[in-house]
Amino acid sequence: MSDTGSDTKRKTSTRLKVAKPRLYKVILVNDDFTPREFVLVILKAVFRMSEEQGYNVMMTAHQKGKCVVAVYSRDIAETKAQEAIDLAKQAGFPLMFITEPEN
Ligand code: NFA
């Protein structure tokens, strides 16, 4: 009863810490070497995109230079971007993904 006040304070400061999960965009960057079909394989495997979604994202990057693939927490965005880069590198392609905060 007498420490109701301090409990309330602790709860409030905890909420302030968890209430702001910044979201990060994973962006596909165009290059002149990676085959379109390989880009599609990566988008489907790593980012769980459908054939149609993947094709549209791949073609947008191809035509405009880059395209947002998806938005995640920072940790997931960076992990998925690195996974995709590594898979491409293993296959001999310079495919690049970058991450950036949404706001
Ligand atoms: N521009 C690549 C090509 O013509 C395809 C590509 C699309 C690569 C999107 C990277 C990103 N083979």
Side-chain angles (χ1 to χ4, degrees), residues 36-59:
R36 293 181 186 192
E37 188 54 42
F38 185 83
V39 177
L40 205 37
V41 167
I42 295 292
L43 292 175
K44 290 193 286 186
V46 177
F47 299 97
R48 308 282 164 90
M49 305 191 91
S50 69
E51 181 81 21
E52 188 180 356
Q53 287 175 322
Y55 182 81
N56 290 335
V57 165
M58 182 276 294
M59 285 306 294

Side-chain angles (χ1 to χ4, degrees), residues 32-88:
D32 293 335
F33 304 101
T34 309
R36 293 181 186 192
E37 188 54 42
F38 185 83
V39 177
L40 205 37
V41 167
I42 295 292
L43 292 175
K44 290 193 286 186
V46 177
F47 299 97
R48 308 282 164 90
M49 305 191 91
S50 69
E51 181 81 21
E52 188 180 356
Q53 287 175 322
Y55 182 81
N56 290 335
V57 165
M58 182 276 294
M59 285 306 294
T60 298
H62 177 69
Q63 289 163 355
K64 297 189 167 182
K66 57 187 182 175
C67 184
V68 175
V69 177
V71 173
Y72 303 103
S73 66
R74 182 179 179 182
D75 188 48
I76 301 295
E78 289 176 352
T79 300
K80 283 184 179 284
Q82 196 58 55
E83 261 179 46
I85 292 166
D86 290 347
L87 283 170

